[in-house]
């Protein structure tokens, strides 16, 4: 018995159910455009917000019932947490979870203790995974909470901190590999600066490049076949983070020769904080060939910080799902609920209600996006816009048949007087809106 045992296993009951602890739209086996909802969405519960966060904020302490939490976590507390987490996971019925090393293990005071404590909990996690069938979408090392990381991990002014970070990533990557994890994530929360007056930006980027190269080398050394994913975020906790968005990460990967080795884990509210739509981040990552996985959540339109709320607006997510369907779905990625309860969501039951609402939102967006794609209407409209590029001039420009000078000569000689086609933006928006009926 844990605090999560009061809720019966959550099942699909359809839109007319009066049971709040049931999925209304998310039916894991329902086939949509040739594959099941579970296969399209590959949803994961995150360990940190769900089980390792007491509901504290900068003005006050924990509010949520998490009896296994304290400033120093002992082995028995970590085991209590694990018991509760897998009780919740098996009742919620989603296929994956994600975790940071320190979310799951007993607190360590030295690198040696870190290695031992992580290994101890890894074995217990392995047992729980095989007992419940819940799989690992990705693991990650927390390189931002401990005071040693205040000045960065890989980008720290102190190489001993870099070595500590290397220890954590080595162990967590190996644990993720042994647990059958499908990806490994690095979120560089402190890899940035608070002031350029005391920061050597070029040196820090070189350090970060070195670190990631070491991670990639180790991945190959141990035979980990999953993707290495960097998670972009523009700021918070630092004033400026180097991996601010997908485009910045791509430039960084190119600079350090890692573009074929590392992809991105994109998060909805990180895009919002970067001042772009989430679908922009997806489109940019796809264009650069680095799209990997998604942390699903949302911000609050009137708050400029990372509120990590559960998603509740399916229509907003349709452009993302359309792109995912166009790609034929995730490869190794999935939708990880990097979302937390509000501080007043005090009951153990609230964690179920939050995930159920989030899952139904994703399922609604999937169904609407599938209808949009099946109708062919957006694809037709976009294709019509670029039609000119299929003509003689467009093909010859792309084939490199013109120089700037010969093309200019051609324009003058032909007296070009183009009329661009209508963008039909309002129609495109109506197409999305009219398919949001689930
Ligand atoms: C922080 C964030 C992290 C990463 C994992 O904003 O999103 O939870 O997803 O370290
Ligand atoms: Co995240």
């Amino acid at each position: 018995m844990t605090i999560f045992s009061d809720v019966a296993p959550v099942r699909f009951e359809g839109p007319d159910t009066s049971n709040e602890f049931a999925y209304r739209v998310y039916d894991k086996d329902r086939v949509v455009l040739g594959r099941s909802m579970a296969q399209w969405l590959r949803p994961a519960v995150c360990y940190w917000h769900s089980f390792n966060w007491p509901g504290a904020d900068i003005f006050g302490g924990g509010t949520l019932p998490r009896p296994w939490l304290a400033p120093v976590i002992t082995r028995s507390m970590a085991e209590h947490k694990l018991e509760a987490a897998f009780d919740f996971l098996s009742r919620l019925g989603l296929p994956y979870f994600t975790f940071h090393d320190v979310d799951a293990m007993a607190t360590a005071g030295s690198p040696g203790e870190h290695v031992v404590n992580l290994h101890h909990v890894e074995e217990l996690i392995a047992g729980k995974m095989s007992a419940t069938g819940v799989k690992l979408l990705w693991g990650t090392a927390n390189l931002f909470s401990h005071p040693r990381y205040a000045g960065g991990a890989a980008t720290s002014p102190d190489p001993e901190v870099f070595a500590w970070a290397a220890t954590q990533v080595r162990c967590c990557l190996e644990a993720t590999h042994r647990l059958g994890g499908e990806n490994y994530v690095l979120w560089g929360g402190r890899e940035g600066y608070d002031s350029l007056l005391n920061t050597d930006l070029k040196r820090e980027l070189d350090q970060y490049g070195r670190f990631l190269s070491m991670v990639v080398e180790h991945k190959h050394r141990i035979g980990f076949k999953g993707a290495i994913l960097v998670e972009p975020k523009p700021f918070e906790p630092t004033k400026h983070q180097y991996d601010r968005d997908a485009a910045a990460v791509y430039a960084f990967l190119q600079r350090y020769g890692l573009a074929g080795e590392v992809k991105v884990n994109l998060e909805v509210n990180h895009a919002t904080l970067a001042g772009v739509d989430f679908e922009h981040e997806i489109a940019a990552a796809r264009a650069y060939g680095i799209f990997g996985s998604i942390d699903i959540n949302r911000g609050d339109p009137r708050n400029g910080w990372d509120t990590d709320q559960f998603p509740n607006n399916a229509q907003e997510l349709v452009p993302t799902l359309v792109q995912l369907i166009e790609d034929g779905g995730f490869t190794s990625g999935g939708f990880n609920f990097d979302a937390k309860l509000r501080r007043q969501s005090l009951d153990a039951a609230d964690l179920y209600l939050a995930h159920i609402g989030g899952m139904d939102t994703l399922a609604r967006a999937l169904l609407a996006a599938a209808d949009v794609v099946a109708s062919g209407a957006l694809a037709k409209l976009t294709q019509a816009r670029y039609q000119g590029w299929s003509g003689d001039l467009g093909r010859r420009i792309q084939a490199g048949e013109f120089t700037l000078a010969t093309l200019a000569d051609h324009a003058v000689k032909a007296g070009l007087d183009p009329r661009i086609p209508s963008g039909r933006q309002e129609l495109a928006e109506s197409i999305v809106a009219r398919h949001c009926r689930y």
Side-chain angles (χ1 to χ4, degrees), residues 23 30 101 135 144 153 165 201 210 241 274 295 342 344 346 363 368 395 438:
Y23 298 112
R30 175 169 173 183
D101 48 4
K135 295 173 288 182
F144 45 89
L201 186 143
R210 185 86 282 280
Q241 277 152 227
D295 272 7
R342 298 306 91 192
Q344 296 176 69
L346 295 173
R395 275 207 303 269
Y438 294 96

Side-chain angles (χ1 to χ4, degrees), residues 48-49 100 138 140 144 187 231 233 265 267 270 295 306 338:
W48 51 102
H49 291 319
H100 297 91
W138 48 263
T140 186
F144 45 89
W187 172 57
E231 186 175 320
K233 188 174 182 181
N265 179 43
E267 179 162 326
H270 295 181
D295 272 7
D306 198 4
D338 194 351

Side-chain angles (χ1 to χ4, degrees), residues 3-79:
I3 62 161
F4 297 118
S5 305
D6 287 343
V7 171
V10 182
R11 314 230 183 269
F12 171 72
E13 291 184 9
D16 300 327
T17 186
S18 56
N19 178 8
E20 292 299 353
F21 296 91
Y23 298 112
R24 286 172 162 70
V25 190
Y26 176 63
D27 176 3
K28 65 181 170 49
D29 299 319
R30 175 169 173 183
V31 174
V32 180
L33 298 181
R35 64 173 73 174
S36 71
M37 279 192 163
Q39 285 168 330
W40 278 118
L41 300 173
R42 296 167 55 84
V45 172
C46 86
Y47 216 94
W48 51 102
H49 291 319
S50 295
F51 312 112
N52 207 41
W53 177 68
D57 69 11
I58 50 169
F59 294 102
T63 55
L64 307 179
R66 300 288 183 265
W68 47 80
L69 293 183
V72 174
I73 309 274
T74 62
R75 272 198 184 180
S76 75
M77 291 162 91
E79 286 164 19

Side-chain angles (χ1 to χ4, degrees), residues 42 96 137 182-183 225-227 229 263 292-293 330-334:
R42 296 167 55 84
Y96 289 102
L137 186 64
E182 299 187 27
N183 307 272
K225 298 285 178 259
L229 306 175
K263 296 181 175 169
S293 196
F330 289 109
T331 47
S332 58

Side-chain angles (χ1 to χ4, degrees), residues 45-388:
V45 172
C46 86
Y47 216 94
W48 51 102
H49 291 319
S50 295
F51 312 112
N52 207 41
W53 177 68
D57 69 11
I58 50 169
F59 294 102
T63 55
L64 307 179
R66 300 288 183 265
W68 47 80
L69 293 183
V72 174
I73 309 274
T74 62
R75 272 198 184 180
S76 75
M77 291 162 91
E79 286 164 19
H80 183 184
K81 192 195 304 180
L82 188 76
E83 203 59 40
F86 275 84
D87 187 17
F88 176 80
L89 288 164
S90 61
R91 287 165 192 276
L92 187 66
L94 299 187
Y96 289 102
F97 77 108
T98 54
F99 79 112
H100 297 91
D101 48 4
V102 304
D103 298 336
M105 59 185 269
T107 308
S110 67
E113 218 184 328
H114 183 94
V115 175
V116 172
N117 288 0
L118 181 59
H119 197 250
H120 169 80
V121 82
E122 177 199 327
E123 289 183 339
L124 301 177
I125 292 175
K128 285 290 179 194
M129 287 173 69
S130 63
T132 58
V134 177
K135 295 173 288 182
L136 178 59
L137 186 64
W138 48 263
T140 186
N142 179 324
L143 306 179
F144 45 89
S145 293
H146 193 279
R148 82 174 70 86
Y149 294 125
T155 60
S156 172
D158 184 342
E160 292 190 4
V161 174
F162 187 106
W164 237 108
T167 310
Q168 281 190 243
V169 173
R170 181 225 177 142
C171 294
C172 196
L173 179 56
E174 290 178 1
T176 299
H177 180 41
R178 284 189 292 265
L179 292 170
E182 299 187 27
N183 307 272
Y184 184 82
V185 167
L186 294 115
W187 172 57
R190 307 264 178 207
E191 315 294 23
Y193 59 80
D194 291 320
S195 168
L196 270 180
L197 294 176
N198 64 2
T199 300
D200 183 341
L201 186 143
K202 165 78 168 66
R203 173 192 286 277
E204 294 202 357
L205 288 178
D206 287 350
Q207 286 176 210
Y208 201 8
R210 185 86 282 280
F211 192 83
L212 262 191
S213 301
M214 291 162 77
V215 174
V216 167
E217 186 272 332
H218 196 67
K219 163 201 158 145
H220 292 303
R221 179 188 295 265
I222 63 175
F224 178 62
K225 298 285 178 259
I228 302 287
L229 306 175
V230 164
E231 186 175 320
K233 188 174 182 181
F235 53 80
E236 200 211 79
T238 60
K239 175 189 166 74
H240 178 97
Q241 277 152 227
Y242 297 132
D243 44 18
R244 74 176 313 282
D245 59 11
V249 170
Y250 184 67
F252 174 84
L253 296 177
Q254 284 275 78
R255 172 77 177 86
Y256 295 98
L258 294 165
E261 294 282 2
V262 177
K263 296 181 175 169
V264 283
N265 179 43
L266 299 170
E267 179 162 326
V268 180
N269 200 40
H270 295 181
T272 309
L273 295 176
V276 293
D277 294 331
F278 188 54
E279 59 262 33
H280 165 90
E281 285 292 85
I282 304 279
R286 288 170 76 214
Y288 294 128
I290 57 168
F291 174 65
S293 196
I294 292 176
D295 272 7
I296 188 74
N297 58 22
R298 70 183 161 97
D300 181 296
R302 279 176 295 286
N303 282 343
W305 68 89
D306 198 4
T307 54
D308 281 328
Q309 289 170 253
F310 280 82
N312 64 357
N313 185 334
Q315 188 166 335
E316 252 173 35
L317 293 171
V318 172
T320 292
L321 270 297
V322 165
Q323 295 187 68
L324 194 70
I325 292 172
E326 283 171 356
D327 274 357
F330 289 109
T331 47
S332 58
F335 278 104
N336 171 47
F337 283 105
D338 194 351
K340 58 176 176 276
L341 296 171
R342 298 306 91 192
R343 286 182 86 229
Q344 296 176 69
S345 301
L346 295 173
D347 299 336
D350 288 307
L351 196 62
Y352 286 97
L353 298 170
H355 283 90
I356 291 167
M359 257 341 282
D360 278 342
T361 298
L362 280 182
R364 285 190 177 95
L366 173 68
L367 291 171
D371 287 353
V372 169
V373 172
S375 79
L378 277 188
K380 198 169 136 209
L381 187 151
T382 309
Q383 211 177 357
R385 254 192 104 211
Y386 294 94
Q387 208 174 1

